[in-house]
Amino acid sequence: MPELTRRRALGAVGALAAAAGAQTLAASSASAAPAGPAAAPRSMAGHHHDGPEPFDEVFQGRRIEGRPTTGGGHHHMEHMGGYAVFIDGAELHVMSNADGSWISVVSHYAPVPTPRDAARAAVVELQGAPLVPLVTN
């Protein structure tokens, strides 16, 4: 049996929190979703085999952008070709989870279905504050 380390303990807690958040999100989405044939269900896994759609919009007065990238130094982006999200031109570090959901450094424990939703959640959480660049060494 492997030795219990702080990293493993925090990883287990994070996985449990993400699972609980996904269940809560799914339950609240199901109860708020419109009914009928016009209501298309949104899966956490997404519908695009080649990555999320690019976007460029203004949300609550902030410009949010998302687009595929090539290269980059982020280890998790190399597996899927990369995707970058920006709020007012500053990069928001996002990551795709194994289940297809997305998280950001601003809302790390609240997975959402798309990078656009991650950007919107970050704008709400920032409450008008500027996004400070994430330094990764």
Side-chain angles (χ1 to χ4, degrees):
M1 185 164 163
E3 179 182 334
L4 181 62
T5 64
R6 182 173 186 226
R7 180 181 296 249
R8 286 195 177 116
L10 289 174
V13 169
L16 289 172
Q23 289 175 348
T24 302
L25 179 64
S28 65
S29 294
S31 65
R42 288 175 61 178
S43 167
M44 292 296 277
H47 299 105
H48 306 287
H49 296 286
D50 50 323
E53 292 291 324
F55 62 92
D56 185 352
E57 66 182 49
V58 175
F59 178 76
Q60 293 187 357
R62 310 283 296 266
R63 182 174 182 198
I64 59 173
E65 302 171 81
R67 60 184 174 265
T69 61
T70 57
H74 305 300
H75 66 280
H76 61 273
M77 288 185 176
E78 293 168 0
H79 300 293
M80 50 179 263
Y83 199 85
V85 174
F86 301 89
I87 297 176
D88 296 333
E91 184 174 7
L92 172 68
H93 188 78
V94 295
M95 184 176 81
S96 175
N97 292 320
D99 66 355
S101 64
W102 290 79
I103 57 174
S104 75
V105 293
V106 176
S107 57
H108 197 79
Y109 295 105
V112 293
T114 66
R116 179 189 310 244
D117 293 329
R120 289 176 175 171
V123 166
V124 170
E125 188 68 29
L126 287 168
Q127 299 179 7
L131 180 64
V132 178
L134 176 68
V135 178
T136 57
N137 290 332

